[in-house]
Every structure is written in structure tokens, then in C-alpha cells.
Amino acid sequence: MARAEGILRVLIIDSSLTDADVIVNVLRSAGHAVRATREDKPAAIEKLLSAQNWELILCREHVADVQPMDILNLIQHLDKDLPCIIITDDKTHEADYFTTNAKDIVLFEDKQRLQFVINREIDNLFIRRLARRNERALRESEKRSKTLLDSSRDAVAYMHEGMHIYVNQAYLNLFGYHESEDVAGLPILDLFSADDHPKFKAVFRQFTEQPDAPPVTLMGNGLTAEGVTFKAEIQFSHARVEGEDCTQVVIRDDTVINEQTAPVVTLIDEHDQLTGLYNRSRFIDELEKTVRRAAEGEGDAQLLYLTLDDFLSIKEKVGLGTSEVILKSVSDLLQNNLAEHEVIGHYGDQVFTIIVPHHDDAYIDERAESFRRTIDDYVSHVAGKTIDLHCSVGIARINESQLTAEAVLENADRAAMKAQHAGGNQVMRFHAQSSEIEQQSSEVWHKQLQTALQEDKFTLFYQPIVSLHGEEQEFYEVLLRLQVNDEFIAADKFIHHAVQLKMMTEIDKWVIRSALKALTIHRQRFPKTRFFIKLSEQSLHEEAFVDWLSASLSAQQLTARSLIFEVSETMAIDNVEQVSHVIERLQGLGCEFGLEHFGSGIDFSNSLKAFNVDYLKINGTFVENMAHDAENQAAVKAIIEMTKEAGKRSIAEFVSDANSLALLWRLGVDYAQGYYIHEPSAEMNYNFEDDEL
């Protein structure tokens, strides 16, 4: 929310009314119009943070019932963009907060510095709020522009370097394609007769070499997906999409250019035909309005993402017709359970989404539980079969920190997935637990990691790596998870603590031992399976590591070729001599080796010269959503070509969408992995023989 009214709303955590008054006077003397509230009770603080909007929290270090870490964890738990400044009486305590989310630590007696820090953080806060407002406005503008393009009768496409990056529905219809993915990354020349290629190339080259050139029009013969040709008028013009220079292409079928067609008004049905609830598009519109209101300080809300457990199995059991009857019954039950001002939509086949306009977690939890019980109580008898339904509900907050409806939906979806993975028929809130885990001290982490090593509280997940152009192999990457209560914490949330505590060699050995045991069992049915395993810097410097590995392989009666070890490119560059030595020894055993996050270095061609590796994993930041980023496409293309020239095999990590996968295939990458292909799982259940990517 913009700072229109000039009021600075400050929450002071302090047990002393006198000291709080001193702080308020400091703020006022700095020229701020202050509306301050003092509190020192945990429950009241949480209620104030949830129910009201604030610009600043000032937290005294020594308050009887509240510690600064409690406040910092609460801010993160509530997902608030809210600067917190800790005020201490002892300068030696500063270091205790250097690794926390506190914006600064200031001595109570240093009034001048307190004014400086407050002014800085307030300015930064309003810059962030303005940036979010501008980004929302930009997204809304882009959405309106896309809607106009999608509804245009003209066939419109946007290209970068002759490759399609966007096409509208009229364009698909004209060329006989069904989905935008069918042409994503496809050269525009493929859509025109070969006889026109020389003329097309000459005009297009001359046009693209002149950034200020006016639109150019030429006639040619279009080529549909079925091989049918038609005369077309093609117009090129310069454009920018998401900050990137590109070419807009407008194509008109010459046979209908001069036809006078009566205007057609399309009425968009806002309701799902099966359930009568808001359809996906209409619900997202409502969610975007809610996100916008929260961003403007008009009230927080929360999203419930309700997905029916095992509904695909139920559909197979009863058939499509009966499953639709069940969905209609479920939608009626959910709608009857709605409270005033709540908004519900049928978001997907087995997914229902509900906006609850309320900030209080306890109230939201009860509403979510109410919807879960409604489904849990539903029993249907069809065709002599009893259908006992259950659901998992994910909850995500909608407040000023959320930029888009898509981000809120993704958060709620993740929470629902966690609920399903934990057994289903339960409610989970996005990130509520892991945020507290990440804030634990080094001492707590040391104890927790030691316990995990001693009591096998670690768990291995596996993600398949599939062939696009490489030799057919059955690869899994081994990924480490830490089990805390019912949640599996990804390694990136705790591994830096293990590094600081110098525990990585122990953890690497636990991973390898456990992976070898799992591989021995799995290979009884799938003898070709091989594992990619990450190695830490600490293990590379362990002189006896390779000998230990050789003995471990012998104990499990596995050959060294079963394993491919990998290290990050940046870590390898920092330890060239040691990494080269370990690579040589591991390859001497029969293992293969790879560099992950390849492309992170300033000149990644040097890494190819320095290390004799077998695989190069392309940096996931280049690959993720690469279909919409020309610079990333160029980087990926260069790495793939460099890899082929060097006789290595390339792997694209973080493949997140169909467009990127299609483009990677066209660029010739050997292997790919990512959530779009298959998410990490505790089970090795990917079917490599039935791979229809």
C-alpha cells in the first residue's frame, strides 16, 4: 500500500511504557507522524500482526515473555514484508542476530542511529511496495494485451531469432495446430512452402538488421500441419515482449482478407458447466482482485486448495459418467458449506479452490477442517460399489507479500501436495513449519543432524534423468531429505548448516551407503539403473574417501560404473587441483563424473579444459522457463554445442514446462530432468521403457 496518508504505523515490543514513549519521541523528532502500539504478550502480538497493517516493528531485546527470535519467526510464519529492528542495551549481543531476518540491531541509547536505521528501512519498504504495485499494473496491462491478441481475428505470433515464442488462437487455427506447445520453438520457415524460403529469408534478414525499420509486408504460401498450402499476406514489425526485442508477425489468409464478416460477440461463460461453480478463468479473476485488495491494505485473505484424494483411481473404477455425478455432488456439498463472502471455484478435474476473506489462522484452519469433514462424510453407492471420498486441503495466505494470483495458487497447491504425500485426508498450511525450522540456531542444527545420522532420520528421494538424444539409460539423481515430524525438508534448507558444522563428509557417506543398499535391491529387477550422487567439498579433501568408496562398493557387490558422482562447477573451479585428482581416482575405479550447474562460471569453456568429466549438467537457471527467455536459450544452445564438440554428454536440469522440453529436444540436449518430467519421489517408479516425452 502506498504511503498516501503519511502515517507511520509502528508496533513496539516492549514491557516498559516509559521506554516505548522514548522510542516514539525519537520517531517524531525524525519528522514521522506516528501511530504506535506497545505490546509484550505473544498472543496479542500475533493477533495485532495478523489483523492490522504495519510499517515497522521495533523489538526490545529483553522482554519477559517474548524473545526477538520469536518475533522474527512470527513475521516469516505470517509471510509479512515487515522490517523488524532489534533494540538492545548491550552491544556485545549484536552478533547473535547477524544471521537472522532482523533488518538491524541498534543500541537503545544511540537515538541518532535509530533514526537513521528507521528512515532507511521505511524508505526501502515503500520502494518495495511501489515496485509490487508497478509489477501488478504491468501484469494487468500484459494480461489485457494478451486477451486482445487471443481474441483477434488476425493470426498473430511473436518470434525471436526466427523461432516462435507466442502464437494466438487464430494463428493456430490458420495453420491447423491444436496447442501453442505444438509450435513453440518451431522456426517460422517450417510454416511456409519451400519455394518461398529464399525470398522469406532475404526479406526477414534485411528487416531484422534494421531495428528502426517500418513494418514490412510480403506475399507467400503458408503450409498447414496437414501439408495444405494457402496464399497468405505476412507482415513483420519490431516489438518487445517481457523486455526482449522480438518480431511481431501478422498473417492473413489471402482468401478471406477482403471478406466482410459481421461482428461476432462471444459471451464467456463464467461458470463450470458440470458443477455450476466459477470456472478456472473466472475464479482466477476473483483471486486477482483479492490479491490486489490485500496489496492495497484493504484486508488479508487466505486460499484453500482442496483436491480429492485418489480421484483418478475412483474415475477408473466407476467410469467417466459416474465420476462426473460424484463431482457434481461434491460441488453441491461444498457450496452449501460456504460462509458469507467466501468464493468457490472448480479449478481442475478433482480440485476446488475457495477464497476465505479472513486473516485469523485459527478461523481459517477451522474453515478448512469443515470442508475436509464435509468430503470425509460423503459416501456414494453406485453400480453396486461404495465410493468413500477423502480430500487434502492446502492453505496459502493472501497478503501484500504476494505479487500474483499464480503465486498464491502455487503455494496452496504445494501445501495440498504435502498433505497428500503425508497420507491424505488432512489439512496443511504452506511453509508454516519449514520457516521455523530454517531459523534454528547452529547448536540446534548440530544436534538435529547428529540425531539424523545416528537414527536414520535422513531419507533419500530419487528423480529420473531421461534420454532425449543420448544413449538409453536408466538414471536417477539421489536427493537428500531430512524428516522432521511429518515433513521432508529439502537439503537446500539445511545443508549450509552442515557445511559450517563440518559434517558433510559424514552426511555424504550416509547418502552413499544408503544409496548403494537401495540400488542393490532395485537392480534385482532393473539391472541397468545407475545413480547420480553429489559430492561435497569436504569429502573431496578427505584423503581416504576413494578407498572407503571402493570398499563400500565391494561390500554391496556393485561395480563402480553404477555411480556417477557430481560436483558444482563453481566449487570445482575453487578446488581445481583437488577435484582433478579425485576425478582421476574415481574414474580409475570405474565411476563416471559430472559437473552440475554448468555455465555458472565467467568463462565456462575453461571448465571443460580443466576437468576430464563425462557429463555436464546445464545450469538450471538457464533451463527453467527458457522458452520465454532469449538469453537463456542462447546460453543453453552454446553449452550444448560446446559439449558435443568436446565429446561429452549434456543434461538439462530444472525442466519445468513443455515448451522448454520441446526446445531442448530441438537443440539436441542428451538428457533432461525436472519437475515437468517427474518430481523427486521416495520410490524409483519411473517407467523408462514407456517414455513419451
Side-chain angles (χ1 to χ4, degrees):
M1 187 179 69
R3 194 180 176 184
E5 74 283 11
I7 299 295
L8 185 64
R9 289 159 297 195
V10 180
L11 179 58
I12 301 174
I13 313 300
D14 199 335
S15 54
S16 169
L17 179 59
T18 302
D19 287 353
D21 284 338
V22 170
I23 293 171
V24 171
N25 288 331
V26 169
L27 289 165
R28 286 176 176 154
S29 63
H32 297 290
V34 181
R35 184 180 297 157
T37 300
R38 183 193 64 84
E39 188 52 72
D40 61 356
K41 301 301 180 188
I45 293 169
E46 182 168 1
K47 185 175 180 180
L48 285 168
L49 282 178
S50 300
Q52 298 181 35
N53 291 306
W54 306 91
E55 275 74 55
L56 185 67
I57 292 187
L58 300 172
C59 182
R60 289 299 300 273
E61 186 180 23
H62 296 298
V63 179
D65 298 325
V66 184
Q67 295 302 313
M69 282 305 304
D70 298 331
I71 301 303
L72 294 170
N73 286 338
L74 180 58
I75 293 170
Q76 189 167 355
H77 172 80
L78 295 174
D79 196 19
K80 294 280 188 180
D81 181 9
L82 182 56
C84 178
I85 299 168
I86 297 173
I87 301 176
T88 181
D89 295 318
D90 188 343
K91 187 173 178 60
T92 62
H93 291 179
E94 285 183 335
D96 296 340
Y97 303 103
F98 284 167
T99 59
T100 70
N101 295 328
K103 293 301 181 182
D104 214 324
I105 305 97
V106 182
L107 284 171
F108 180 74
E109 63 188 25
D110 194 345
K111 307 298 189 296
Q112 189 173 9
R113 176 171 172 77
L114 181 59
Q115 287 181 347
F116 169 78
V117 169
I118 288 170
N119 288 336
R120 180 193 68 203
E121 292 306 320
I122 293 302
D123 287 344
N124 289 342
L125 174 66
F126 286 112
I127 289 171
R128 293 196 300 273
R129 289 182 175 179
L130 182 60
R132 287 196 291 265
R133 169 178 279 186
N134 290 340
E135 186 167 345
R136 283 192 296 273
L138 177 61
R139 287 176 182 273
E140 289 171 5
S141 176
E142 290 176 342
K143 182 180 177 181
R144 287 193 294 270
S145 299
K146 187 175 183 300
T147 300
L148 289 172
L149 285 170
D150 289 341
S151 61
S152 171
R153 290 172 53 205
D154 288 335
V156 183
Y158 288 91
M159 297 186 308
H160 183 78
E161 297 183 351
M163 310 280 277
H164 293 88
I165 58 175
Y166 165 82
V167 296
N168 70 354
Q169 188 59 48
Y171 195 95
L172 293 173
N173 295 341
L174 181 61
F175 287 99
Y177 290 94
H178 299 291
E179 303 288 343
S180 58
E181 287 81 3
D182 296 336
V183 295
L186 194 68
I188 193 169
L189 281 177
D190 289 1
L191 302 184
F192 290 90
S193 169
D195 294 338
D196 290 330
H197 286 188
K199 174 178 65 174
F200 197 99
K201 287 180 179 178
V203 173
F204 188 67
R205 184 182 301 112
Q206 183 178 7
F207 172 76
T208 53
E209 287 175 354
Q210 301 176 30
D212 299 325
V216 174
T217 302
L218 72 155
M219 301 299 297
N221 293 296
L223 185 66
T224 70
E226 292 77 22
V228 178
T229 60
F230 61 92
K231 289 188 178 299
E233 177 187 283
I234 308 115
Q235 183 185 76
F236 299 129
S237 58
H238 291 295
R240 287 178 69 82
V241 174
E242 295 181 356
E244 296 291 340
D245 291 328
C246 62
T247 304
Q248 177 182 275
V249 183
V250 180
I251 301 176
R252 299 178 181 89
D253 185 342
D254 193 43
T255 61
V256 298
I257 288 175
N258 297 315
E259 289 184 5
Q260 298 298 319
T261 306
V264 177
V265 178
T266 303
L267 296 177
I268 301 174
D269 189 358
E270 296 183 342
H271 294 83
D272 178 60
Q273 292 182 354
L274 173 63
T275 64
L277 305 177
Y278 279 155
N279 59 24
R280 183 181 186 133
S281 176
R282 181 68 175 85
F283 182 84
I284 290 177
D285 287 343
E286 287 296 317
L287 184 57
E288 286 176 342
K289 292 177 186 175
T290 306
V291 170
R292 189 161 53 248
R293 284 195 296 268
E296 295 297 327
E298 297 175 14
D300 292 354
Q302 304 203 29
L303 175 68
L304 309 185
Y305 192 97
L306 187 152
T307 180
L308 300 179
D309 296 335
D310 298 322
F311 191 70
L312 293 179
S313 300
I314 293 172
K315 185 184 289 188
E316 292 176 1
K317 181 179 178 182
V318 302
L320 179 60
T322 303
S323 67
E324 289 184 346
V325 172
I326 293 172
L327 283 174
K328 180 64 173 78
S329 300
V330 167
S331 68
D332 291 342
L333 288 169
L334 294 175
Q335 195 164 23
N336 291 336
N337 193 34
L338 283 182
E340 188 177 5
H341 303 307
E342 292 179 349
V343 178
I344 187 170
H346 186 202
Y347 189 76
D349 189 15
Q350 69 266 29
V351 177
F352 297 86
T353 42
I354 304 162
I355 300 171
V356 184
H358 209 285
H359 63 269
D360 184 70
D361 283 359
Y363 175 80
I364 299 294
D365 291 344
E366 174 52 39
R367 293 299 298 140
E369 183 62 23
S370 174
F371 286 113
R372 187 203 63 79
R373 287 195 302 267
T374 296
I375 302 303
D376 195 40
D377 292 341
Y378 173 82
V379 179
S380 175
H381 301 280
V382 290
K385 299 173 181 175
T386 300
I387 305 300
D388 190 12
L389 277 185
H390 304 287
C391 72
S392 297
V393 184
I395 306 174
R397 290 186 177 83
I398 305 171
N399 57 29
E400 69 165 16
S401 298
Q402 306 304 322
L403 277 174
T404 64
E406 289 77 10
V408 177
L409 283 162
E410 184 178 351
N411 291 345
D413 182 19
R414 288 180 180 176
M417 286 178 60
K418 284 185 179 180
Q420 285 192 314
H421 291 163
N425 196 24
Q426 56 188 288
V427 175
M428 281 197 178
R429 181 176 291 280
F430 172 73
H431 223 235
Q433 201 169 31
S434 58
S435 62
E436 295 172 8
I437 290 169
E438 292 173 39
Q439 290 295 321
Q440 293 175 167
S441 66
S442 294
E443 293 80 6
V444 174
W445 271 113
H446 186 267
K447 182 178 180 180
Q448 191 156 21
L449 294 174
Q450 283 286 14
T451 301
L453 286 167
Q454 295 165 4
E455 300 179 9
D456 282 340
K457 294 291 186 181
F458 287 121
T459 300
L460 296 184
F461 274 40
Y462 308 91
Q463 187 172 39
I465 301 173
V466 301
S467 171
L468 296 186
H469 293 285
E471 177 188 351
E472 293 293 336
Q473 302 198 58
E474 296 182 9
F475 287 145
Y476 284 99
E477 176 159 12
V478 177
L479 301 168
L480 183 63
R481 299 288 186 265
L482 174 63
Q483 187 171 355
V484 179
N485 300 323
D486 295 327
E487 186 177 8
F488 291 105
I489 309 300
D492 60 358
K493 298 292 191 297
F494 63 82
I495 211 71
H496 59 286
H497 293 289
V499 171
Q500 292 173 354
L501 295 165
K502 301 189 183 305
M503 298 178 67
M504 281 309 304
T505 300
E506 292 178 77
I507 292 175
D508 282 353
K509 288 183 176 180
W510 186 96
V511 169
I512 294 169
R513 281 195 303 268
S514 302
L516 292 179
K517 290 177 185 176
L519 186 57
T520 300
I521 296 170
H522 188 73
R523 276 194 157 203
Q524 293 173 8
R525 292 184 59 201
F526 303 96
K528 297 180 181 178
T529 301
R530 302 170 69 198
F531 280 171
F532 275 77
I533 299 178
K534 302 178 193 295
L535 274 185
S536 70
E537 183 176 353
Q538 290 170 20
S539 292
L540 290 172
H541 289 278
E542 167 105 357
E543 187 62 34
F545 173 75
V546 177
D547 294 333
W548 173 88
L549 174 64
S550 178
S552 299
L553 285 164
S554 298
Q556 293 293 333
Q557 297 182 336
L558 288 169
T559 65
R561 194 178 181 279
S562 307
L563 304 180
I564 303 103
F565 288 99
E566 56 184 347
V567 297
S568 71
E569 181 193 17
T570 50
M571 190 264 277
I573 291 171
D574 291 339
N575 300 270
V576 174
E577 185 175 336
Q578 188 63 28
V579 170
S580 299
H581 174 65
V582 172
I583 290 174
E584 183 179 351
R585 291 193 64 193
L586 287 173
Q587 290 174 334
L589 283 181
C591 299
E592 290 188 307
F593 208 89
L595 287 181
E596 66 169 345
H597 311 320
F598 186 75
S600 305
I602 296 175
D603 183 0
F604 41 76
S605 62
N606 287 335
S607 301
L608 273 176
K609 298 173 186 175
F611 305 108
N612 180 29
V613 296
D614 306 282
Y615 297 89
L616 295 173
K617 270 193 172 180
I618 304 170
N619 192 329
T621 57
F622 295 147
V623 176
E624 197 168 19
N625 300 316
M626 62 175 287
H628 306 292
D629 192 309
E631 289 187 13
N632 285 353
Q633 287 180 32
V636 170
K637 182 180 179 181
I639 292 172
I640 293 172
E641 290 174 352
M642 189 185 303
T643 305
K644 291 185 182 301
E645 289 175 8
K648 312 297 183 184
R649 285 155 286 181
S650 56
I651 301 172
E653 57 183 4
F654 294 7
V655 179
S656 59
D657 60 90
N659 291 347
S660 295
L661 184 64
L663 189 52
L664 286 165
W665 188 88
R666 293 189 183 98
L667 293 174
V669 77
D670 293 309
Y671 300 93
Q673 81 179 100
Y675 274 70
Y676 178 75
I677 297 168
H678 198 281
E679 66 183 46
S681 169
E683 304 295 331
M684 288 177 272
N685 52 12
Y686 187 81
N687 187 352
F688 288 92
E689 295 181 358
D690 186 27
D691 196 0
E692 297 181 357
L693 295 175

